[in-house]
Coordinates of all heavy atoms in Angstrom, one line a residue:
M1 N 0.9 -1.2 0.0 CA 0.0 0.0 0.0 C 0.9 1.2 0.0 O 1.8 1.3 0.8 CB -0.9 0.0 1.2 CG -1.9 1.1 1.3 SD -2.9 1.1 2.8 CE -3.5 -0.5 3.0
S2 N 0.6 2.2 -0.9 CA 1.4 3.4 -1.0 C 1.2 4.3 0.3 O 0.1 4.2 0.9 CB 1.2 4.1 -2.2 OG -0.1 4.8 -2.2
S3 N 2.1 5.1 0.5 CA 2.0 6.0 1.7 C 0.8 7.0 1.5 O 0.2 7.4 2.5 CB 3.3 6.8 1.9 OG 3.6 7.6 0.8
A4 N 0.6 7.4 0.2 CA -0.6 8.3 0.0 C -1.9 7.6 0.3 O -2.8 8.3 0.9 CB -0.6 8.8 -1.5
V5 N -2.0 6.4 0.0 CA -3.3 5.6 0.3 C -3.3 5.4 1.8 O -4.4 5.5 2.4 CB -3.3 4.3 -0.5 CG1 -4.5 3.5 -0.1 CG2 -3.4 4.6 -2.0
A6 N -2.2 5.0 2.4 CA -2.2 4.7 3.8 C -2.6 6.0 4.6 O -3.3 5.9 5.6 CB -0.9 4.2 4.2
S7 N -2.2 7.1 4.1 CA -2.4 8.4 4.9 C -3.9 8.8 4.8 O -4.4 9.5 5.6 CB -1.5 9.5 4.4 OG -1.9 9.9 3.1
L8 N -4.6 8.3 3.7 CA -6.0 8.6 3.6 C -6.8 8.1 4.7 O -7.8 8.6 5.1 CB -6.5 8.1 2.2 CG -6.3 9.0 1.0 CD1 -6.8 8.3 -0.2 CD2 -6.8 10.3 1.1
A9 N -6.4 6.9 5.2 CA -7.2 6.2 6.3 C -7.2 7.1 7.5 O -8.2 7.0 8.3 CB -6.6 4.9 6.6
D10 N -6.2 8.0 7.7 CA -6.2 8.8 8.9 C -6.8 10.2 8.6 O -7.0 11.0 9.5 CB -4.7 9.0 9.4 CG -4.2 7.6 9.8 OD1 -5.0 6.8 10.3 OD2 -3.0 7.4 9.7
D11 N -7.1 10.5 7.4 CA -7.5 11.9 7.0 C -9.0 11.8 6.5 O -9.2 11.6 5.3 CB -6.6 12.5 5.9 CG -6.9 14.0 5.7 OD1 -7.9 14.5 6.2 OD2 -6.1 14.6 4.9
I12 N -9.9 12.0 7.4 CA -11.3 11.9 7.1 C -11.8 12.9 6.1 O -12.5 12.6 5.2 CB -12.2 12.0 8.4 CG1 -11.8 10.9 9.4 CG2 -13.7 12.0 8.1 CD1 -12.1 9.5 8.9
D13 N -11.2 14.1 6.2 CA -11.6 15.2 5.3 C -11.2 14.9 3.9 O -11.9 15.1 2.9 CB -11.0 16.5 5.7 CG -11.7 17.0 7.0 OD1 -12.9 16.7 7.2 OD2 -11.0 17.8 7.8
A14 N -10.0 14.3 3.8 CA -9.5 13.9 2.4 C -10.3 12.8 1.9 O -10.6 12.8 0.7 CB -8.0 13.5 2.5
L15 N -10.7 11.8 2.7 CA -11.6 10.7 2.2 C -13.0 11.3 1.8 O -13.5 10.9 0.7 CB -11.8 9.7 3.3 CG -10.7 8.8 3.6 CD1 -10.9 7.9 4.8 CD2 -10.5 7.8 2.4
R16 N -13.5 12.2 2.5 CA -14.8 12.8 2.1 C -14.7 13.6 0.8 O -15.5 13.5 -0.1 CB -15.3 13.8 3.2 CG -15.8 13.1 4.4 CD -16.3 14.0 5.5 NE -16.9 13.3 6.6 CZ -16.8 13.7 7.8 NH1 -16.3 14.8 8.1 NH2 -17.3 12.9 8.8
A17 N -13.6 14.3 0.6 CA -13.3 15.0 -0.6 C -13.2 14.1 -1.8 O -13.8 14.3 -2.9 CB -12.1 15.9 -0.5
L18 N -12.5 13.0 -1.6 CA -12.3 12.0 -2.6 C -13.6 11.3 -3.0 O -14.0 11.2 -4.2 CB -11.3 10.9 -2.1 CG -11.1 9.7 -3.1 CD1 -10.4 10.2 -4.4 CD2 -10.2 8.7 -2.4
C19 N -14.4 11.0 -2.0 CA -15.8 10.4 -2.2 C -16.7 11.4 -3.0 O -17.4 11.0 -3.9 CB -16.4 10.0 -0.9 SG -15.7 8.5 -0.2
A20 N -16.6 12.7 -2.6 CA -17.4 13.7 -3.3 C -17.0 13.8 -4.7 O -17.8 13.9 -5.6 CB -17.3 15.0 -2.6
R21 N -15.7 13.8 -5.0 CA -15.2 13.9 -6.4 C -15.7 12.7 -7.2 O -16.1 12.8 -8.4 CB -13.7 14.0 -6.4 CG -13.2 15.4 -6.1 CD -11.7 15.6 -6.5 NE -10.8 14.6 -5.9 CZ -10.2 14.7 -4.7 NH1 -10.4 15.7 -4.0 NH2 -9.5 13.7 -4.3
Q22 N -15.6 11.5 -6.6 CA -16.0 10.3 -7.3 C -17.5 10.4 -7.6 O -18.0 9.9 -8.6 CB -15.6 9.1 -6.5 CG -14.1 8.8 -6.6 CD -13.7 7.5 -5.9 OE1 -14.4 7.0 -5.1 NE2 -12.5 7.0 -6.3
A23 N -18.3 10.9 -6.6 CA -19.7 11.0 -6.8 C -20.1 11.9 -7.9 O -21.0 11.7 -8.7 CB -20.4 11.4 -5.5
E24 N -19.3 13.1 -8.0 CA -19.5 14.0 -9.1 C -19.2 13.4 -10.4 O -19.9 13.6 -11.4 CB -18.7 15.3 -8.8 CG -19.2 16.1 -7.7 CD -18.2 17.2 -7.3 OE1 -17.1 17.4 -8.0 OE2 -18.5 18.0 -6.3
D25 N -18.1 12.7 -10.5 CA -17.7 12.0 -11.7 C -18.7 11.0 -12.1 O -19.1 10.9 -13.3 CB -16.3 11.3 -11.6 CG -15.1 12.3 -11.5 OD1 -15.3 13.5 -11.9 OD2 -14.1 11.9 -11.1
L26 N -19.2 10.3 -11.2 CA -20.2 9.2 -11.5 C -21.5 9.9 -12.0 O -22.1 9.4 -13.0 CB -20.5 8.4 -10.2 CG -21.4 7.2 -10.4 CD1 -20.8 6.2 -11.4 CD2 -21.5 6.5 -9.1
A27 N -21.9 11.0 -11.4 CA -23.1 11.7 -11.8 C -22.9 12.3 -13.2 O -23.8 12.2 -14.1 CB -23.5 12.8 -10.8
R28 N -21.8 12.8 -13.5 CA -21.5 13.4 -14.8 C -21.5 12.3 -15.9 O -22.1 12.4 -16.9 CB -20.1 14.1 -14.8 CG -19.7 14.7 -16.2 CD -18.3 15.3 -16.1 NE -17.3 14.6 -15.5 CZ -16.7 13.5 -16.0 NH1 -17.0 13.1 -17.2 NH2 -15.7 12.9 -15.3
Q29 N -20.9 11.1 -15.6 CA -20.9 10.0 -16.5 C -22.3 9.4 -16.7 O -22.6 9.1 -17.8 CB -19.9 8.9 -16.0 CG -18.5 9.4 -16.1 CD -17.5 8.3 -15.6 OE1 -17.9 7.4 -15.0 NE2 -16.2 8.6 -15.7
S30 N -23.1 9.4 -15.7 CA -24.5 8.9 -15.8 C -25.2 9.9 -16.7 O -26.0 9.4 -17.6 CB -25.1 8.8 -14.4 OG -24.6 7.8 -13.7
G31 N -25.0 11.2 -16.6 CA -25.7 12.1 -17.5 C -25.2 11.9 -18.9 O -26.0 12.0 -19.8
Q32 N -23.9 11.7 -19.1 CA -23.4 11.4 -20.5 C -24.0 10.2 -21.0 O -24.4 10.1 -22.2 CB -21.9 11.3 -20.4 CG -21.2 12.6 -20.2 CD -19.7 12.4 -20.0 OE1 -19.2 11.4 -19.7 NE2 -18.9 13.5 -20.2
L33 N -24.2 9.1 -20.2 CA -24.8 7.9 -20.7 C -26.3 8.2 -21.1 O -26.7 7.7 -22.1 CB -24.7 6.8 -19.6 CG -23.4 6.1 -19.5 CD1 -23.4 5.2 -18.3 CD2 -23.0 5.3 -20.7
H34 N -27.0 8.9 -20.3 CA -28.4 9.3 -20.6 C -28.5 10.0 -21.9 O -29.3 9.7 -22.8 CB -29.0 10.1 -19.5 CG -30.4 10.4 -19.7 ND1 -31.4 9.4 -19.6 CD2 -31.0 11.5 -19.9 CE1 -32.6 10.0 -19.8 NE2 -32.4 11.3 -20.0
E35 N -27.6 11.0 -22.1 CA -27.5 11.8 -23.4 C -27.2 10.9 -24.6 O -27.9 11.0 -25.6 CB -26.5 12.9 -23.3 CG -26.9 14.0 -22.4 CD -25.8 15.0 -22.3 OE1 -24.8 15.0 -23.1 OE2 -25.8 15.8 -21.3
R36 N -26.3 10.0 -24.4 CA -25.9 9.0 -25.5 C -27.1 8.1 -25.8 O -27.4 7.8 -27.0 CB -24.7 8.2 -25.1 CG -23.5 9.0 -24.8 CD -22.8 9.3 -26.1 NE -21.5 9.9 -25.8 CZ -21.0 10.9 -26.4 NH1 -21.6 11.4 -27.4 NH2 -19.8 11.4 -26.0
D37 N -27.8 7.6 -24.8 CA -29.0 6.8 -25.0 C -30.0 7.5 -25.8 O -30.7 6.9 -26.7 CB -29.6 6.3 -23.6 CG -28.7 5.2 -23.0 OD1 -27.8 4.7 -23.7 OD2 -28.9 5.0 -21.8
N38 N -30.3 8.8 -25.4 CA -31.3 9.6 -26.2 C -30.9 9.7 -27.6 O -31.7 9.6 -28.5 CB -31.5 10.9 -25.5 CG -32.3 10.8 -24.2 OD1 -32.9 9.9 -23.9 ND2 -32.1 11.9 -23.4
L39 N -29.6 10.1 -27.8 CA -29.1 10.2 -29.2 C -29.2 8.9 -30.0 O -29.6 8.9 -31.1 CB -27.7 10.7 -29.2 CG -27.1 11.0 -30.6 CD1 -27.9 12.0 -31.4 CD2 -25.7 11.6 -30.4
N40 N -28.9 7.8 -29.3 CA -28.9 6.5 -29.9 C -30.4 6.2 -30.3 O -30.6 5.7 -31.4 CB -28.4 5.4 -29.0 CG -28.1 4.2 -29.6 OD1 -27.7 4.1 -30.8 ND2 -28.1 3.1 -28.9
D41 N -31.4 6.5 -29.5 CA -32.8 6.3 -29.8 C -33.2 7.1 -31.0 O -33.9 6.6 -31.9 CB -33.7 6.6 -28.6 CG -33.5 5.6 -27.5 OD1 -33.0 4.5 -27.7 OD2 -33.9 5.9 -26.3
K42 N -32.8 8.4 -31.1 CA -33.1 9.2 -32.2 C -32.5 8.7 -33.5 O -33.1 8.6 -34.5 CB -32.6 10.6 -32.0 CG -33.4 11.4 -31.0 CD -32.8 12.8 -30.7 CE -33.6 13.5 -29.6 NZ -33.0 14.8 -29.3
L43 N -31.2 8.2 -33.4 CA -30.6 7.6 -34.6 C -31.3 6.3 -35.0 O -31.5 6.1 -36.2 CB -29.1 7.3 -34.3 CG -28.2 8.5 -34.2 CD1 -26.8 8.0 -33.6 CD2 -28.1 9.2 -35.5
K44 N -31.8 5.5 -34.1 CA -32.5 4.3 -34.5 C -33.8 4.7 -35.2 O -34.2 4.0 -36.1 CB -32.8 3.5 -33.2 CG -31.6 2.7 -32.7 CD -32.0 1.9 -31.5 CE -30.8 1.2 -30.9 NZ -31.2 0.5 -29.6
E45 N -34.5 5.7 -34.7 CA -35.8 6.2 -35.3 C -35.5 6.7 -36.7 O -36.3 6.3 -37.6 CB -36.4 7.3 -34.4 CG -37.0 6.8 -33.1 CD -37.4 8.0 -32.2 OE1 -37.5 9.1 -32.7 OE2 -37.7 7.7 -31.0
Q46 N -34.5 7.5 -36.9 CA -34.1 8.0 -38.2 C -33.8 6.8 -39.1 O -34.2 6.8 -40.3 CB -33.0 9.0 -38.1 CG -33.3 10.3 -37.5 CD -32.1 11.2 -37.4 OE1 -31.0 10.8 -37.8 NE2 -32.3 12.4 -36.9
L47 N -33.1 5.9 -38.6 CA -32.7 4.7 -39.4 C -33.9 3.9 -39.9 O -34.0 3.5 -41.0 CB -31.7 3.8 -38.6 CG -31.0 2.8 -39.3 CD1 -30.2 3.3 -40.5 CD2 -30.0 2.1 -38.3
A48 N -34.9 3.8 -39.0 CA -36.1 3.0 -39.3 C -36.9 3.7 -40.4 O -37.4 3.1 -41.3 CB -36.9 2.9 -38.1
V49 N -36.9 5.1 -40.3 CA -37.6 5.9 -41.3 C -36.9 5.7 -42.7 O -37.6 5.5 -43.7 CB -37.7 7.4 -40.9 CG1 -38.1 8.2 -42.1 CG2 -38.7 7.5 -39.8
L50 N -35.6 5.8 -42.7 CA -34.8 5.7 -43.9 C -35.0 4.3 -44.5 O -35.0 4.1 -45.7 CB -33.4 6.0 -43.7 CG -33.1 7.5 -43.4 CD1 -31.7 7.7 -43.0 CD2 -33.4 8.3 -44.7
R51 N -35.0 3.3 -43.7 CA -35.1 1.9 -44.2 C -36.5 1.7 -44.8 O -36.6 1.0 -45.9 CB -34.9 0.9 -43.1 CG -33.5 0.7 -42.7 CD -33.3 -0.5 -41.7 NE -31.9 -0.8 -41.6 CZ -31.3 -1.0 -40.4 NH1 -32.1 -1.0 -39.3 NH2 -30.1 -1.2 -40.3
R52 N -37.5 2.3 -44.2 CA -38.9 2.2 -44.8 C -38.9 2.9 -46.2 O -39.6 2.5 -47.1 CB -39.9 2.8 -43.9 CG -40.2 1.8 -42.7 CD -41.5 2.3 -42.0 NE -41.3 3.6 -41.4 CZ -40.8 3.9 -40.2 NH1 -40.4 2.8 -39.4 NH2 -40.8 5.1 -39.7
A53 N -38.2 4.0 -46.3 CA -38.2 4.8 -47.5 C -37.2 4.3 -48.6 O -37.1 4.8 -49.7 CB -37.9 6.2 -47.2
R54 N -36.5 3.3 -48.2 CA -35.4 2.8 -49.1 C -35.8 2.4 -50.5 O -35.1 2.6 -51.5 CB -34.7 1.5 -48.4 CG -33.7 0.9 -49.3 CD -33.1 -0.4 -48.6 NE -31.8 0.0 -48.1 CZ -31.1 -0.7 -47.3 NH1 -31.6 -1.9 -46.9 NH2 -30.0 -0.3 -46.8
F55 N -37.0 1.9 -50.7 CA -37.4 1.5 -52.0 C -38.2 2.6 -52.7 O -38.7 2.3 -53.8 CB -38.2 0.2 -51.9 CG -37.4 -0.9 -51.2 CD1 -37.7 -1.3 -49.9 CD2 -36.4 -1.5 -51.9 CE1 -36.9 -2.3 -49.3 CE2 -35.7 -2.5 -51.4 CZ -35.9 -2.9 -50.1
G56 N -38.2 3.8 -52.2 CA -38.9 4.9 -52.9 C -37.9 5.6 -53.8 O -36.9 5.1 -54.2
K57 N -38.2 6.9 -54.1 CA -37.4 7.7 -54.9 C -36.0 7.9 -54.3 O -35.9 8.0 -53.1 CB -38.0 9.1 -55.2 CG -39.3 9.0 -55.9 CD -39.9 10.4 -56.1 CE -41.3 10.3 -56.7 NZ -41.9 11.6 -56.7
S58 N -35.0 8.1 -55.1 CA -33.6 8.4 -54.7 C -33.1 7.5 -53.6 O -32.6 7.9 -52.6 CB -33.5 9.9 -54.3 OG -34.2 10.1 -53.1
S59 N -33.3 6.2 -53.9 CA -32.9 5.2 -52.9 C -31.4 5.2 -52.7 O -30.9 4.8 -51.6 CB -33.4 3.8 -53.3 OG -32.8 3.4 -54.5
E60 N -30.6 5.6 -53.7 CA -29.1 5.6 -53.5 C -28.7 6.6 -52.4 O -27.9 6.3 -51.5 CB -28.4 5.9 -54.8 CG -28.5 4.8 -55.8 CD -27.9 5.2 -57.1 OE1 -27.1 6.2 -57.2 OE2 -28.1 4.5 -58.1
K61 N -29.3 7.7 -52.4 CA -29.0 8.7 -51.4 C -29.5 8.2 -50.0 O -28.8 8.4 -49.0 CB -29.8 10.0 -51.7 CG -29.5 11.1 -50.7 CD -30.2 12.4 -51.1 CE -29.9 13.5 -50.1 NZ -30.6 14.8 -50.5
I62 N -30.6 7.6 -50.0 CA -31.1 7.0 -48.7 C -30.1 5.9 -48.2 O -29.8 5.9 -47.0 CB -32.5 6.5 -48.9 CG1 -33.5 7.7 -49.1 CG2 -33.0 5.7 -47.7 CD1 -34.9 7.3 -49.4
D63 N -29.6 5.1 -49.1 CA -28.7 4.1 -48.7 C -27.4 4.7 -48.1 O -26.9 4.2 -47.1 CB -28.3 3.2 -49.9 CG -29.4 2.3 -50.3 OD1 -30.3 2.0 -49.5 OD2 -29.3 1.8 -51.5
R64 N -27.0 5.8 -48.6 CA -25.8 6.5 -48.1 C -26.1 7.0 -46.7 O -25.3 6.9 -45.7 CB -25.3 7.6 -49.0 CG -24.5 7.2 -50.2 CD -23.8 8.3 -50.9 NE -24.7 9.4 -51.2 CZ -25.4 9.5 -52.3 NH1 -25.3 8.6 -53.3 NH2 -26.2 10.6 -52.6
N65 N -27.3 7.6 -46.5 CA -27.7 8.1 -45.2 C -27.8 7.0 -44.2 O -27.4 7.1 -43.0 CB -29.0 8.9 -45.3 CG -28.9 10.2 -46.0 OD1 -27.8 10.7 -46.1 ND2 -30.0 10.7 -46.5
I66 N -28.4 5.8 -44.6 CA -28.5 4.7 -43.7 C -27.1 4.2 -43.3 O -26.9 4.0 -42.1 CB -29.2 3.5 -44.4 CG1 -30.7 3.9 -44.5 CG2 -29.0 2.2 -43.6 CD1 -31.5 2.9 -45.3
A67 N -26.2 4.2 -44.2 CA -24.8 3.7 -43.9 C -24.2 4.7 -42.9 O -23.5 4.3 -41.9 CB -23.9 3.6 -45.1
Q68 N -24.4 6.0 -43.1 CA -23.8 7.0 -42.2 C -24.4 6.9 -40.8 O -23.7 7.0 -39.8 CB -24.0 8.4 -42.7 CG -23.1 8.7 -43.9 CD -23.5 10.1 -44.5 OE1 -24.5 10.7 -44.2 NE2 -22.6 10.5 -45.4
L69 N -25.8 6.7 -40.7 CA -26.4 6.6 -39.4 C -26.0 5.3 -38.7 O -25.8 5.3 -37.5 CB -27.9 6.6 -39.6 CG -28.5 8.0 -39.8 CD1 -30.0 7.8 -40.2 CD2 -28.4 8.8 -38.6
E70 N -25.8 4.2 -39.5 CA -25.3 3.0 -38.8 C -23.9 3.2 -38.2 O -23.6 2.7 -37.1 CB -25.4 1.8 -39.8 CG -26.8 1.4 -40.1 CD -26.8 0.3 -41.2 OE1 -25.9 0.2 -42.0 OE2 -27.8 -0.4 -41.3
L71 N -23.1 3.9 -38.9 CA -21.7 4.2 -38.4 C -21.8 5.1 -37.2 O -21.1 4.8 -36.2 CB -20.9 4.9 -39.5 CG -20.4 4.0 -40.6 CD1 -19.7 4.9 -41.7 CD2 -19.5 2.9 -40.1
A72 N -22.7 6.1 -37.2 CA -22.9 7.0 -36.0 C -23.4 6.2 -34.9 O -23.0 6.3 -33.7 CB -23.8 8.1 -36.4
N73 N -24.4 5.3 -35.1 CA -24.9 4.5 -34.1 C -23.9 3.6 -33.4 O -23.8 3.4 -32.2 CB -26.1 3.7 -34.6 CG -26.9 3.0 -33.6 OD1 -26.9 3.4 -32.4 ND2 -27.6 2.0 -33.9
A74 N -23.0 3.0 -34.3 CA -22.0 2.1 -33.8 C -21.0 2.9 -32.9 O -20.5 2.4 -31.9 CB -21.3 1.4 -34.9
D75 N -20.7 4.1 -33.4 CA -19.7 4.9 -32.6 C -20.3 5.3 -31.3 O -19.6 5.2 -30.3 CB -19.5 6.2 -33.4 CG -18.5 7.2 -32.7 OD1 -17.4 6.7 -32.3 OD2 -18.8 8.4 -32.6
H76 N -21.6 5.6 -31.2 CA -22.2 5.9 -29.9 C -22.3 4.7 -29.0 O -22.1 4.8 -27.8 CB -23.6 6.5 -30.1 CG -23.5 7.9 -30.7 ND1 -23.1 9.0 -29.9 CD2 -23.8 8.4 -31.9 CE1 -23.1 10.1 -30.6 NE2 -23.5 9.8 -31.8
R77 N -22.5 3.5 -29.6 CA -22.5 2.3 -28.7 C -21.1 2.1 -28.1 O -21.0 1.7 -27.0 CB -23.0 1.1 -29.5 CG -24.5 1.1 -29.8 CD -24.8 -0.2 -30.4 NE -24.1 -0.3 -31.7 CZ -24.5 -0.8 -32.8 NH1 -25.7 -1.2 -32.9 NH2 -23.8 -0.8 -33.9
C78 N -20.1 2.4 -28.9 CA -18.7 2.2 -28.4 C -18.5 3.2 -27.3 O -17.9 2.9 -26.2 CB -17.7 2.4 -29.5 SG -17.6 1.1 -30.7
T79 N -18.9 4.4 -27.5 CA -18.8 5.5 -26.4 C -19.5 5.1 -25.2 O -19.0 5.2 -24.1 CB -19.3 6.8 -27.0 OG1 -18.5 7.1 -28.2 CG2 -19.0 7.9 -25.9
V80 N -20.7 4.6 -25.3 CA -21.5 4.2 -24.2 C -20.8 3.1 -23.4 O -20.7 3.1 -22.2 CB -22.9 3.8 -24.6 CG1 -23.7 3.0 -23.5 CG2 -23.7 5.0 -25.0
G81 N -20.3 2.1 -24.2 CA -19.5 1.0 -23.6 C -18.3 1.5 -22.8 O -18.1 1.1 -21.7
A82 N -17.6 2.5 -23.3 CA -16.4 3.0 -22.6 C -16.9 3.8 -21.4 O -16.2 3.6 -20.3 CB -15.7 4.0 -23.6
L83 N -18.0 4.5 -21.5 CA -18.4 5.2 -20.3 C -18.9 4.2 -19.2 O -18.7 4.4 -18.0 CB -19.6 6.2 -20.6 CG -19.1 7.4 -21.4 CD1 -20.4 8.2 -21.9 CD2 -18.3 8.3 -20.5
E84 N -19.6 3.1 -19.6 CA -20.0 2.1 -18.7 C -18.8 1.5 -18.0 O -18.8 1.2 -16.8 CB -20.9 1.1 -19.3 CG -22.2 1.6 -19.7 CD -23.1 0.7 -20.6 OE1 -22.5 -0.3 -21.1 OE2 -24.3 0.9 -20.7
V85 N -17.8 1.2 -18.7 CA -16.5 0.6 -18.1 C -15.9 1.6 -17.1 O -15.6 1.3 -16.0 CB -15.5 0.3 -19.2 CG1 -14.2 0.0 -18.6 CG2 -16.0 -0.9 -20.1
A86 N -15.9 2.9 -17.5 CA -15.3 3.9 -16.6 C -16.2 4.1 -15.4 O -15.7 4.2 -14.3 CB -15.2 5.3 -17.4
Q87 N -17.5 4.0 -15.6 CA -18.4 4.1 -14.4 C -18.2 2.9 -13.5 O -18.2 3.0 -12.3 CB -19.8 4.1 -15.0 CG -20.9 4.5 -13.9 CD -22.2 4.7 -14.5 OE1 -22.6 4.1 -15.5 NE2 -23.0 5.5 -13.9
G88 N -18.0 1.7 -14.1 CA -17.7 0.5 -13.2 C -16.4 0.7 -12.4 O -16.4 0.2 -11.3
V89 N -15.5 1.4 -12.9 CA -14.2 1.6 -12.2 C -14.5 2.5 -11.0 O -14.0 2.2 -9.9 CB -13.2 2.3 -13.1 CG1 -12.0 2.8 -12.3 CG2 -12.7 1.4 -14.2
F90 N -15.4 3.5 -11.1 CA -15.7 4.3 -9.9 C -16.6 3.7 -8.9 O -16.5 4.1 -7.7 CB -16.4 5.6 -10.4 CG -15.4 6.6 -11.0 CD1 -15.5 6.8 -12.4 CD2 -14.5 7.2 -10.3 CE1 -14.6 7.7 -13.0 CE2 -13.6 8.1 -10.8 CZ -13.7 8.4 -12.2
T91 N -17.3 2.6 -9.3 CA -18.2 2.0 -8.3 C -17.5 0.9 -7.5 O -18.1 0.3 -6.6 CB -19.4 1.5 -9.0 OG1 -19.0 0.5 -10.0 CG2 -20.2 2.6 -9.6
R92 N -16.3 0.5 -7.9 CA -15.6 -0.5 -7.2 C -14.9 0.0 -6.0 O -14.5 1.0 -5.8 CB -14.6 -1.2 -8.2 CG -15.3 -2.0 -9.2 CD -14.4 -2.9 -9.9 NE -15.2 -3.6 -10.9 CZ -14.9 -3.8 -12.1 NH1 -13.7 -3.3 -12.6 NH2 -15.6 -4.5 -13.0

């Protein structure tokens, strides 16, 4: 155990400050996850609309839009996964 960690056990104020910082980080990350979930839902809705319109006029343009939205959706899922991993680190 490092001396910095060992000294925390004797410094209640430092422990409280550390817990407060971690709680703030956790709340911020939870907010980010919520925002990402909302954006992911919007992207899914847009993707569904585009897929339904795929066989109508200008389907090539729609296919490009679908591909872009699928990439954006995948990127957001990766970000959410990274935030969830980071959030797990703070809860341990």
Side-chain angles (χ1 to χ4, degrees):
M1 184 182 316
S2 73
S3 62
V5 173
S7 68
L8 280 177
D10 296 329
D11 190 351
I12 299 299
D13 291 331
L15 284 172
R16 286 184 179 145
L18 178 64
C19 288
R21 281 193 306 273
Q22 287 183 340
E24 289 170 2
D25 287 344
L26 189 58
R28 180 181 44 77
Q29 289 175 353
S30 293
Q32 289 173 340
L33 283 173
H34 183 69
E35 289 175 17
R36 300 277 188 220
D37 287 344
N38 287 341
L39 182 57
N40 196 28
D41 290 342
K42 288 179 185 177
L43 288 171
K44 284 180 183 178
E45 290 171 14
Q46 289 177 358
L47 193 55
V49 168
L50 289 171
R51 282 189 173 134
R52 284 191 298 271
R54 174 181 258 171
F55 300 106
K57 296 179 187 176
S58 66
S59 63
E60 290 178 13
K61 183 177 178 183
I62 290 171
D63 287 342
R64 282 193 306 271
N65 288 341
I66 288 172
Q68 288 175 347
L69 283 171
E70 286 175 339
L71 287 173
N73 192 22
D75 181 50
H76 286 288
R77 283 187 303 219
C78 289
T79 303
V80 167
L83 287 170
E84 288 172 343
V85 168
Q87 193 174 26
V89 169
F90 283 110
T91 58
R92 288 190 181 137

